Amino acid sequence: MFDWPHAPPHRFGDAGVYFVTAGTYKKQPWLASPASRDQFQALLFTVAREEDCRLQSWCVLTNHYHLVAATDDGSRLERMLTRLHTKSALDLNEQDRTPGRKVWFQFRDTQLTYERSWLARLRYVQENAVHHGIVRRATGYRWCSASWFEERFDRAFVKTVSSMKIDALQVYDDF
């Protein structure tokens, strides 16, 4: 198999946990308004549920998002992302009265096969709004999973994720 030289390869198919980063076209802040982020996050939850992709961590910013999701079939995650990007582009373009505008540029995905890598990316995604200087504490950003995560999981697991080093992660996040 040859990879296209100008785009990241996508190798869905296997069951597992995936880390995904997607950016808007030319890094434009198409999700700048709270209402547009609310709408996108609601759509993310809907298509993830419909495609049986279990979100473990997410963060939606004005011009990109990150997520960690588990699936029993990687092709379901691929369908979820296709539906998410198509529907959100149509919605945003209708909202802004810009039919046909390109909204999403590319996305990167990585299947996470090592526990420490998975734990670090859970933290990275939850801390992304802090990383970009939007909030001081991730739980204060309503378009990420930090509060949900702390409420849902036992304290020992939350502490384990919070203790993971993320400063050396190789994540494309030039937004």
Side-chain angles (χ1 to χ4, degrees):
M1 170 189 296
F2 294 101
D3 293 333
W4 184 252
H6 305 293
H10 304 294
R11 294 195 173 92
F12 297 108
D14 295 334
V17 178
Y18 290 82
F19 171 66
V20 177
T21 297
T24 59
Y25 185 64
K26 295 186 178 181
K27 303 178 186 179
Q28 293 298 307
W30 304 135
L31 300 171
S33 74
S36 64
R37 286 191 303 278
D38 284 341
Q39 185 176 7
F40 181 81
Q41 184 169 260
L43 180 62
L44 170 63
F45 296 161
T46 298
V47 296
R49 184 178 56 253
E50 290 172 355
E51 293 296 342
D52 196 26
C53 295
R54 297 167 303 284
L55 296 174
Q56 297 180 344
S57 190
W58 66 88
C59 186
V60 178
L61 298 168
T62 62
N63 65 353
H64 72 287
Y65 70 86
H66 301 282
L67 62 84
V68 175
T71 181
D72 295 332
D73 177 357
S75 65
R76 296 188 74 84
L77 180 63
E78 184 175 26
R79 274 197 308 275
M80 184 205 90
L81 294 170
T82 299
R83 290 180 57 204
L84 177 65
H85 293 170
T86 301
K87 177 74 168 115
S88 65
L90 291 170
D91 290 348
L92 287 164
N93 286 343
E94 181 179 327
Q95 194 177 307
D96 295 342
R97 294 183 176 90
T98 54
R101 173 185 64 185
K102 186 172 182 166
V103 173
W104 296 104
F105 180 54
Q106 292 179 344
F107 69 92
R108 299 177 186 283
D109 58 272
T110 304
Q111 187 172 12
L112 304 176
T113 56
Y114 296 102
E115 183 180 38
R116 292 185 62 79
S117 178
W118 167 63
L119 295 170
R121 280 164 180 76
L122 287 175
R123 179 174 179 212
Y124 182 85
V125 170
Q126 290 177 48
E127 296 283 330
N128 205 247
V130 174
H131 169 77
H132 287 285
I134 298 167
V135 293
R136 291 176 88 94
R137 283 190 31 85
T139 55
Y141 190 69
R142 77 179 198 221
W143 299 283
C144 83
S145 56
S147 293
W148 169 86
F149 192 81
E150 285 187 8
E151 293 167 7
R152 183 164 187 208
F153 294 100
D154 66 63
R155 294 186 62 75
F157 185 63
V158 171
K159 187 175 179 180
T160 298
V161 171
S162 297
S163 71
M164 297 306 299
K165 301 274 189 221
I166 58 174
D167 53 341
L169 281 180
Q170 301 281 324
V171 175
Y172 178 81
D173 197 357
D174 183 25
F175 295 99

PDB file of all heavy atoms in Angstrom, residues 146-162:
ATOM      1  N   ALA A 146     -13.257  16.903  30.226  1.00  0.00           N
ATOM      2  CA  ALA A 146     -12.597  16.899  31.533  1.00  0.00           C
ATOM      3  C   ALA A 146     -13.574  16.754  32.700  1.00  0.00           C
ATOM      4  O   ALA A 146     -13.370  15.912  33.583  1.00  0.00           O
ATOM      5  CB  ALA A 146     -11.741  18.148  31.702  1.00  0.00           C
ATOM      6  N   SER A 147     -14.626  17.550  32.736  1.00  0.00           N
ATOM      7  CA  SER A 147     -15.606  17.452  33.837  1.00  0.00           C
ATOM      8  C   SER A 147     -16.324  16.111  33.805  1.00  0.00           C
ATOM      9  O   SER A 147     -16.499  15.455  34.841  1.00  0.00           O
ATOM     10  CB  SER A 147     -16.639  18.574  33.752  1.00  0.00           C
ATOM     11  OG  SER A 147     -16.025  19.804  33.997  1.00  0.00           O
ATOM     12  N   TRP A 148     -16.757  15.704  32.621  1.00  0.00           N
ATOM     13  CA  TRP A 148     -17.440  14.425  32.439  1.00  0.00           C
ATOM     14  C   TRP A 148     -16.555  13.287  32.932  1.00  0.00           C
ATOM     15  O   TRP A 148     -17.007  12.380  33.625  1.00  0.00           O
ATOM     16  CB  TRP A 148     -17.788  14.263  30.956  1.00  0.00           C
ATOM     17  CG  TRP A 148     -18.264  12.918  30.529  1.00  0.00           C
ATOM     18  CD1 TRP A 148     -19.546  12.453  30.575  1.00  0.00           C
ATOM     19  CD2 TRP A 148     -17.484  11.864  29.958  1.00  0.00           C
ATOM     20  NE1 TRP A 148     -19.603  11.177  30.070  1.00  0.00           N
ATOM     21  CE2 TRP A 148     -18.345  10.790  29.688  1.00  0.00           C
ATOM     22  CE3 TRP A 148     -16.119  11.731  29.651  1.00  0.00           C
ATOM     23  CZ2 TRP A 148     -17.903   9.596  29.123  1.00  0.00           C
ATOM     24  CZ3 TRP A 148     -15.691  10.544  29.098  1.00  0.00           C
ATOM     25  CH2 TRP A 148     -16.569   9.502  28.838  1.00  0.00           C
ATOM     26  N   PHE A 149     -15.289  13.349  32.565  1.00  0.00           N
ATOM     27  CA  PHE A 149     -14.323  12.315  32.924  1.00  0.00           C
ATOM     28  C   PHE A 149     -14.168  12.225  34.443  1.00  0.00           C
ATOM     29  O   PHE A 149     -14.213  11.141  35.016  1.00  0.00           O
ATOM     30  CB  PHE A 149     -12.981  12.643  32.262  1.00  0.00           C
ATOM     31  CG  PHE A 149     -11.980  11.538  32.297  1.00  0.00           C
ATOM     32  CD1 PHE A 149     -12.021  10.508  31.379  1.00  0.00           C
ATOM     33  CD2 PHE A 149     -10.976  11.532  33.257  1.00  0.00           C
ATOM     34  CE1 PHE A 149     -11.090   9.488  31.398  1.00  0.00           C
ATOM     35  CE2 PHE A 149     -10.034  10.520  33.292  1.00  0.00           C
ATOM     36  CZ  PHE A 149     -10.099   9.490  32.361  1.00  0.00           C
ATOM     37  N   GLU A 150     -14.002  13.374  35.103  1.00  0.00           N
ATOM     38  CA  GLU A 150     -13.831  13.373  36.554  1.00  0.00           C
ATOM     39  C   GLU A 150     -15.075  12.875  37.285  1.00  0.00           C
ATOM     40  O   GLU A 150     -14.977  12.240  38.322  1.00  0.00           O
ATOM     41  CB  GLU A 150     -13.457  14.779  37.051  1.00  0.00           C
ATOM     42  CG  GLU A 150     -12.023  15.128  36.744  1.00  0.00           C
ATOM     43  CD  GLU A 150     -11.579  16.440  37.365  1.00  0.00           C
ATOM     44  OE1 GLU A 150     -12.331  17.027  38.172  1.00  0.00           O
ATOM     45  OE2 GLU A 150     -10.469  16.877  37.040  1.00  0.00           O
ATOM     46  N   GLU A 151     -16.256  13.157  36.746  1.00  0.00           N
ATOM     47  CA  GLU A 151     -17.506  12.708  37.361  1.00  0.00           C
ATOM     48  C   GLU A 151     -17.763  11.222  37.128  1.00  0.00           C
ATOM     49  O   GLU A 151     -18.356  10.559  37.968  1.00  0.00           O
ATOM     50  CB  GLU A 151     -18.691  13.506  36.803  1.00  0.00           C
ATOM     51  CG  GLU A 151     -18.679  14.964  37.195  1.00  0.00           C
ATOM     52  CD  GLU A 151     -19.664  15.787  36.390  1.00  0.00           C
ATOM     53  OE1 GLU A 151     -20.462  15.212  35.611  1.00  0.00           O
ATOM     54  OE2 GLU A 151     -19.635  17.024  36.527  1.00  0.00           O
ATOM     55  N   ARG A 152     -17.323  10.709  36.015  1.00  0.00           N
ATOM     56  CA  ARG A 152     -17.688   9.359  35.600  1.00  0.00           C
ATOM     57  C   ARG A 152     -16.738   8.278  36.124  1.00  0.00           C
ATOM     58  O   ARG A 152     -17.172   7.164  36.409  1.00  0.00           O
ATOM     59  CB  ARG A 152     -17.715   9.299  34.081  1.00  0.00           C
ATOM     60  CG  ARG A 152     -18.159   7.969  33.570  1.00  0.00           C
ATOM     61  CD  ARG A 152     -18.544   8.042  32.137  1.00  0.00           C
ATOM     62  NE  ARG A 152     -19.124   6.786  31.732  1.00  0.00           N
ATOM     63  CZ  ARG A 152     -19.090   6.321  30.522  1.00  0.00           C
ATOM     64  NH1 ARG A 152     -18.521   6.995  29.580  1.00  0.00           N
ATOM     65  NH2 ARG A 152     -19.648   5.172  30.233  1.00  0.00           N
ATOM     66  N   PHE A 153     -15.462   8.578  36.220  1.00  0.00           N
ATOM     67  CA  PHE A 153     -14.488   7.551  36.559  1.00  0.00           C
ATOM     68  C   PHE A 153     -14.019   7.677  37.997  1.00  0.00           C
ATOM     69  O   PHE A 153     -14.066   8.754  38.585  1.00  0.00           O
ATOM     70  CB  PHE A 153     -13.308   7.598  35.583  1.00  0.00           C
ATOM     71  CG  PHE A 153     -13.717   7.230  34.185  1.00  0.00           C
ATOM     72  CD1 PHE A 153     -13.947   8.212  33.241  1.00  0.00           C
ATOM     73  CD2 PHE A 153     -13.917   5.907  33.833  1.00  0.00           C
ATOM     74  CE1 PHE A 153     -14.352   7.876  31.966  1.00  0.00           C
ATOM     75  CE2 PHE A 153     -14.322   5.564  32.556  1.00  0.00           C
ATOM     76  CZ  PHE A 153     -14.544   6.555  31.615  1.00  0.00           C
ATOM     77  N   ASP A 154     -13.539   6.562  38.541  1.00  0.00           N
ATOM     78  CA  ASP A 154     -13.088   6.594  39.934  1.00  0.00           C
ATOM     79  C   ASP A 154     -11.833   7.458  40.062  1.00  0.00           C
ATOM     80  O   ASP A 154     -11.079   7.652  39.120  1.00  0.00           O
ATOM     81  CB  ASP A 154     -12.889   5.186  40.499  1.00  0.00           C
ATOM     82  CG  ASP A 154     -11.763   4.423  39.825  1.00  0.00           C
ATOM     83  OD1 ASP A 154     -10.602   4.872  39.929  1.00  0.00           O
ATOM     84  OD2 ASP A 154     -12.045   3.374  39.219  1.00  0.00           O
ATOM     85  N   ARG A 155     -11.635   7.966  41.255  1.00  0.00           N
ATOM     86  CA  ARG A 155     -10.557   8.920  41.517  1.00  0.00           C
ATOM     87  C   ARG A 155      -9.178   8.357  41.185  1.00  0.00           C
ATOM     88  O   ARG A 155      -8.297   9.070  40.715  1.00  0.00           O
ATOM     89  CB  ARG A 155     -10.614   9.379  42.967  1.00  0.00           C
ATOM     90  CG  ARG A 155     -11.885  10.188  43.248  1.00  0.00           C
ATOM     91  CD  ARG A 155     -11.914  10.785  44.648  1.00  0.00           C
ATOM     92  NE  ARG A 155     -10.850  11.729  44.947  1.00  0.00           N
ATOM     93  CZ  ARG A 155     -10.757  12.984  44.514  1.00  0.00           C
ATOM     94  NH1 ARG A 155     -11.681  13.437  43.707  1.00  0.00           N
ATOM     95  NH2 ARG A 155      -9.766  13.771  44.890  1.00  0.00           N
ATOM     96  N   ALA A 156      -8.973   7.078  41.428  1.00  0.00           N
ATOM     97  CA  ALA A 156      -7.662   6.475  41.151  1.00  0.00           C
ATOM     98  C   ALA A 156      -7.339   6.539  39.656  1.00  0.00           C
ATOM     99  O   ALA A 156      -6.205   6.863  39.270  1.00  0.00           O
ATOM    100  CB  ALA A 156      -7.620   5.038  41.650  1.00  0.00           C
ATOM    101  N   PHE A 157      -8.328   6.241  38.804  1.00  0.00           N
ATOM    102  CA  PHE A 157      -8.100   6.293  37.362  1.00  0.00           C
ATOM    103  C   PHE A 157      -7.886   7.736  36.904  1.00  0.00           C
ATOM    104  O   PHE A 157      -6.989   8.021  36.104  1.00  0.00           O
ATOM    105  CB  PHE A 157      -9.258   5.637  36.605  1.00  0.00           C
ATOM    106  CG  PHE A 157      -9.025   5.565  35.117  1.00  0.00           C
ATOM    107  CD1 PHE A 157      -7.981   4.818  34.603  1.00  0.00           C
ATOM    108  CD2 PHE A 157      -9.841   6.254  34.244  1.00  0.00           C
ATOM    109  CE1 PHE A 157      -7.753   4.754  33.231  1.00  0.00           C
ATOM    110  CE2 PHE A 157      -9.626   6.201  32.873  1.00  0.00           C
ATOM    111  CZ  PHE A 157      -8.581   5.452  32.366  1.00  0.00           C
ATOM    112  N   VAL A 158      -8.689   8.658  37.419  1.00  0.00           N
ATOM    113  CA  VAL A 158      -8.536  10.073  37.076  1.00  0.00           C
ATOM    114  C   VAL A 158      -7.145  10.550  37.473  1.00  0.00           C
ATOM    115  O   VAL A 158      -6.471  11.259  36.711  1.00  0.00           O
ATOM    116  CB  VAL A 158      -9.640  10.919  37.742  1.00  0.00           C
ATOM    117  CG1 VAL A 158      -9.363  12.410  37.582  1.00  0.00           C
ATOM    118  CG2 VAL A 158     -11.008  10.565  37.163  1.00  0.00           C
ATOM    119  N   LYS A 159      -6.694  10.134  38.632  1.00  0.00           N
ATOM    120  CA  LYS A 159      -5.360  10.524  39.109  1.00  0.00           C
ATOM    121  C   LYS A 159      -4.269   9.935  38.211  1.00  0.00           C
ATOM    122  O   LYS A 159      -3.281  10.598  37.894  1.00  0.00           O
ATOM    123  CB  LYS A 159      -5.164  10.068  40.557  1.00  0.00           C
ATOM    124  CG  LYS A 159      -3.905  10.567  41.189  1.00  0.00           C
ATOM    125  CD  LYS A 159      -3.829  10.186  42.657  1.00  0.00           C
ATOM    126  CE  LYS A 159      -2.524  10.683  43.244  1.00  0.00           C
ATOM    127  NZ  LYS A 159      -2.383  10.365  44.652  1.00  0.00           N
ATOM    128  N   THR A 160      -4.449   8.701  37.791  1.00  0.00           N
ATOM    129  CA  THR A 160      -3.482   8.064  36.892  1.00  0.00           C
ATOM    130  C   THR A 160      -3.382   8.842  35.581  1.00  0.00           C
ATOM    131  O   THR A 160      -2.279   9.145  35.112  1.00  0.00           O
ATOM    132  CB  THR A 160      -3.878   6.598  36.609  1.00  0.00           C
ATOM    133  OG1 THR A 160      -3.856   5.878  37.831  1.00  0.00           O
ATOM    134  CG2 THR A 160      -2.954   5.948  35.602  1.00  0.00           C
ATOM    135  N   VAL A 161      -4.524   9.167  34.994  1.00  0.00           N
ATOM    136  CA  VAL A 161      -4.522   9.924  33.732  1.00  0.00           C
ATOM    137  C   VAL A 161      -3.892  11.294  33.951  1.00  0.00           C
ATOM    138  O   VAL A 161      -3.058  11.745  33.157  1.00  0.00           O
ATOM    139  CB  VAL A 161      -5.950  10.039  33.160  1.00  0.00           C
ATOM    140  CG1 VAL A 161      -5.994  11.015  31.983  1.00  0.00           C
ATOM    141  CG2 VAL A 161      -6.460   8.668  32.724  1.00  0.00           C
ATOM    142  N   SER A 162      -4.247  11.959  35.038  1.00  0.00           N
ATOM    143  CA  SER A 162      -3.711  13.294  35.329  1.00  0.00           C
ATOM    144  C   SER A 162      -2.203  13.298  35.551  1.00  0.00           C
ATOM    145  O   SER A 162      -1.552  14.324  35.359  1.00  0.00           O
ATOM    146  CB  SER A 162      -4.391  13.881  36.568  1.00  0.00           C
ATOM    147  OG  SER A 162      -5.755  14.055  36.315  1.00  0.00           O
TER     148      SER A 162
END
